[in-house]
Amino acid sequence: MNRREWLLSFGAAALAAGPAAALDYPDRPVTILNGYSPGGSTDIAARLVGEGMSRQLGGKAFVVENRPGASGTVAATWMKRQNPDGYTLLLSESSSFAIWPAMYTEGVKYDPLNDFDWVATICISPMAFIVSPDFPARSCPEALELLGSEKSRDLNYSSSGPGSIPHIAAELLRTRIGPTNASRHIPYRGGAPAVQSISKGETAWGVASLGSAAGMIQGGLVRALAVTSLSRFPTYPDIPTFGELGLRDVGLNISYLLHAPAGLPGGILDLLNKSSVTALVEATTRERFLNAGMQVWDRENTSASTKTIVANELAWFKDVAARTGIRILG
């Protein structure tokens, strides 16, 4: 029996027996919050894992609700105050659980490590350096040279919001270009509208999650010049990595984690973890994530291992803030 078969059989057994089953959970629809606008990578990931969890838990509905604002921190702040009964979950990415707590000058109103129960790690997504269809440069080196010239004053960049991981990645890229880059930051309320602005020529370039940009890259509405993953993404083998181009310090990936307000009953936390992990093993789910520019998490995946990811990313972005001076201003 291989690992995938073992996980499927283990998950099925866990869902059919044990103390969690006696809780008769869920007996009504479960809401998965997304802290961004519809259509972006976080929204897509929430819907895909919700569909899989629904299949694992007897067909009970998992409904995605969008609550955008401040790079996911509005949703996280609201989530902290909810009843820890397992019926309100939040799919967060690195911006709200690591970047804002590490870099926001006024501080967030929640403790990412202690105010939530971390359910599972869902997926990771590289980011892509994307430009508008009529952007003058055709390759990443040419684009960086152009963005270091006086012409950069007319080449503004978009992001999914101030302090989002695409925003931080773009700022790290600008530190490599140097102080001659005069592009202005134009923030949007999510990855989808940020990518759309580039496709329409409202902004000239940006760094976006591959999940948010995948459809428009495939449709030729934006051009991707580089990705942040360590190796080329399987469905985009022609796009080089920043590492290949000598820009390894721009190699950020986005982690997507599922969590709930602190205080979930142990049986429900265990059931949510097992149902999400088992859903991620399904071949159709894995393929759908991949086609959307994301890769499901296939390493250790427990509540504890997910919380460790939060702690590690929080420490990493605090170090970035100390080294670069990048801050999110109130």
Side-chain angles (χ1 to χ4, degrees), residues 23-31 62 78-89 117 119 259-269 271-272:
L23 296 172
D24 196 27
Y25 168 89
D27 61 6
R28 63 180 187 273
V30 177
T31 297
F62 279 68
W78 185 85
M79 164 67 74
K80 172 188 172 181
R81 302 192 298 266
Q82 303 312 300
N83 184 24
D85 57 6
Y87 288 93
T88 306
L89 310 175
D117 282 336
V119 173
H259 59 116
L264 273 183
I268 291 179
L269 178 59
L271 190 62
L272 286 170

Side-chain angles (χ1 to χ4, degrees), residues 1 40 49 164 167 177 180 198 242 267 299 313:
M1 180 180 292
V49 74
S164 64
H167 177 209
I177 298 169
T180 54
I198 297 173
F242 277 114
R299 302 174 218 172
E313 290 206 15

Side-chain angles (χ1 to χ4, degrees), residues 8-160:
L8 283 170
S9 63
F10 175 80
L15 296 176
L23 296 172
D24 196 27
Y25 168 89
D27 61 6
R28 63 180 187 273
V30 177
T31 297
I32 301 180
L33 294 175
N34 158 38
Y36 292 91
S37 300
S41 58
T42 313
D43 181 63
I44 294 169
R47 294 179 191 282
L48 289 178
V49 74
E51 290 173 13
M53 293 173 74
S54 175
R55 288 192 295 273
Q56 297 300 320
L57 293 172
K60 298 297 184 182
F62 279 68
V63 181
V64 175
E65 177 183 315
N66 302 103
R67 190 176 286 265
S71 295
T73 61
V74 169
T77 301
W78 185 85
M79 164 67 74
K80 172 188 172 181
R81 302 192 298 266
Q82 303 312 300
N83 184 24
D85 57 6
Y87 288 93
T88 306
L89 310 175
L90 175 61
L91 188 73
S92 286
E93 45 86 34
S94 304
S95 301
S96 60
F97 67 75
I99 295 177
W100 275 64
M103 296 182 170
Y104 185 42
T105 55
E106 295 187 7
V108 295
K109 297 179 180 179
Y110 53 86
D111 179 341
L113 289 172
N114 298 311
D115 285 340
F116 306 109
D117 282 336
W118 292 93
V119 173
T121 307
I122 304 306
C123 62
I124 58 173
S125 175
M127 287 179 286
F129 174 29
I130 57 175
V131 298
S132 60
D134 60 353
F135 194 80
R138 307 302 298 181
S139 69
C140 185
E142 290 174 356
L144 297 184
E145 182 178 357
L146 178 63
L147 292 175
S149 71
E150 290 186 1
K151 294 180 180 179
S152 64
R153 295 182 181 279
D154 299 319
L155 300 172
N156 298 326
Y157 75 97
S158 69
S159 82
S160 53

Side-chain angles (χ1 to χ4, degrees), residues 1-8 281 286 298-300:
M1 180 180 292
N2 62 32
R3 180 177 181 273
R4 182 176 298 181
E5 291 170 338
W6 181 86
L7 275 171
L8 283 170
V281 176
R286 296 171 72 88
D298 58 3
R299 302 174 218 172
E300 181 184 7

Side-chain angles (χ1 to χ4, degrees), residues 67-328:
R67 190 176 286 265
S71 295
T73 61
V74 169
T77 301
W78 185 85
M79 164 67 74
K80 172 188 172 181
R81 302 192 298 266
Q82 303 312 300
N83 184 24
D85 57 6
Y87 288 93
T88 306
L89 310 175
L90 175 61
L91 188 73
S92 286
E93 45 86 34
S94 304
S95 301
S96 60
F97 67 75
I99 295 177
W100 275 64
M103 296 182 170
Y104 185 42
T105 55
E106 295 187 7
V108 295
K109 297 179 180 179
Y110 53 86
D111 179 341
L113 289 172
N114 298 311
D115 285 340
F116 306 109
D117 282 336
W118 292 93
V119 173
T121 307
I122 304 306
C123 62
I124 58 173
S125 175
M127 287 179 286
F129 174 29
I130 57 175
V131 298
S132 60
D134 60 353
F135 194 80
R138 307 302 298 181
S139 69
C140 185
E142 290 174 356
L144 297 184
E145 182 178 357
L146 178 63
L147 292 175
S149 71
E150 290 186 1
K151 294 180 180 179
S152 64
R153 295 182 181 279
D154 299 319
L155 300 172
N156 298 326
Y157 75 97
S158 69
S159 82
S160 53
S164 64
I165 190 167
H167 177 209
I168 300 304
E171 286 298 315
L172 288 174
L173 190 57
R174 292 182 71 204
T175 63
R176 292 300 301 266
I177 298 169
T180 54
N181 176 254
S183 299
R184 290 183 295 114
H185 175 217
I186 310 298
Y188 289 80
R189 290 172 66 87
V195 175
Q196 288 169 4
S197 78
I198 297 173
S199 73
K200 296 175 182 177
E202 297 170 353
T203 53
W205 66 280
V207 179
S209 71
L210 191 55
S212 293
M216 290 201 174
I217 294 172
Q218 293 166 0
L221 299 176
V222 298
R223 290 188 286 119
L225 303 182
V227 291
T228 61
S229 48
L230 294 177
S231 58
R232 296 195 181 199
F233 198 78
T235 51
Y236 297 95
D238 296 332
I239 305 175
T241 69
F242 277 114
E244 290 176 52
L245 302 171
L247 299 168
R248 295 186 182 280
D249 54 346
V250 189
L252 299 178
N253 291 314
I254 306 176
S255 300
Y256 299 79
L257 314 178
L258 188 65
H259 59 116
L264 273 183
I268 291 179
L269 178 59
D270 185 60
L271 190 62
L272 286 170
N273 172 265
K274 288 181 172 61
S275 63
S276 58
V277 171
T278 305
L280 297 177
V281 176
E282 297 173 339
T284 54
T285 300
R286 296 171 72 88
E287 183 178 3
R288 291 177 70 190
F289 268 100
L290 195 63
N291 290 337
M294 295 172 277
Q295 292 178 294
V296 300
W297 187 255
D298 58 3
R299 302 174 218 172
E300 181 184 7
N301 202 347
T302 64
S303 177
S305 68
T306 302
K307 188 173 182 178
T308 297
I309 291 174
V310 176
N312 290 343
E313 290 206 15
L314 185 59
W316 194 87
F317 282 106
K318 285 181 179 179
D319 179 66
V320 170
R323 287 189 288 106
T324 66
I326 295 174
R327 293 289 188 277
I328 304 167

